[in-house]
Amino acid sequence: FNPQTINVKVGETITFVNKDIEPHWPASSVHPTHNEYPEGGGCLGSKFDACGGLKAGDSFSFTFHKKGAWKYHDHLNSGSTGMVMVD
């Protein structure tokens, strides 16, 4: 993920765009439950979840409504991680 850490304000939206040829699945940590971000819904534990692999050129947007430091990962490659800092 690039940048690995991003700062946003409550209510702002970030968009993950897959610029790779391999699929990637951005989701709230922790792997595999995706339940760190405290907003229920989505396909597993949190709304902060693309709910599937993004193909090359696909995107996933998410609006952050909770303050905090929210870790995320690529569900298809759990070693790829990042963090969204929400003020």
Side-chain angles (χ1 to χ4, degrees):
F1 293 109
N2 187 18
Q4 192 167 16
T5 301
I6 188 168
N7 297 297
V8 299
K9 301 278 186 209
V10 169
E12 288 188 324
T13 300
I14 64 170
T15 300
F16 295 84
V17 179
N18 186 1
K19 296 182 178 179
D20 195 3
I21 59 171
E22 298 297 322
H24 295 281
W25 178 339
S28 175
S29 289
V30 296
H31 182 74
T33 60
H34 307 176
N35 62 359
E36 183 173 296
Y37 184 78
E39 190 174 350
C43 58
L44 293 175
S46 170
K47 268 189 174 178
F48 179 20
D49 191 333
C51 294
L54 305 177
K55 297 179 215 164
D58 285 351
S59 65
F60 164 68
S61 295
F62 185 77
T63 302
F64 287 85
H65 298 287
K66 308 283 185 182
K67 286 185 179 183
W70 307 115
K71 295 178 184 176
Y72 63 91
H73 69 287
D74 178 350
H75 183 73
L76 301 176
N77 179 11
S78 61
S80 293
T81 63
M83 183 178 297
V84 180
M85 305 291 292
V86 183
D87 295 319

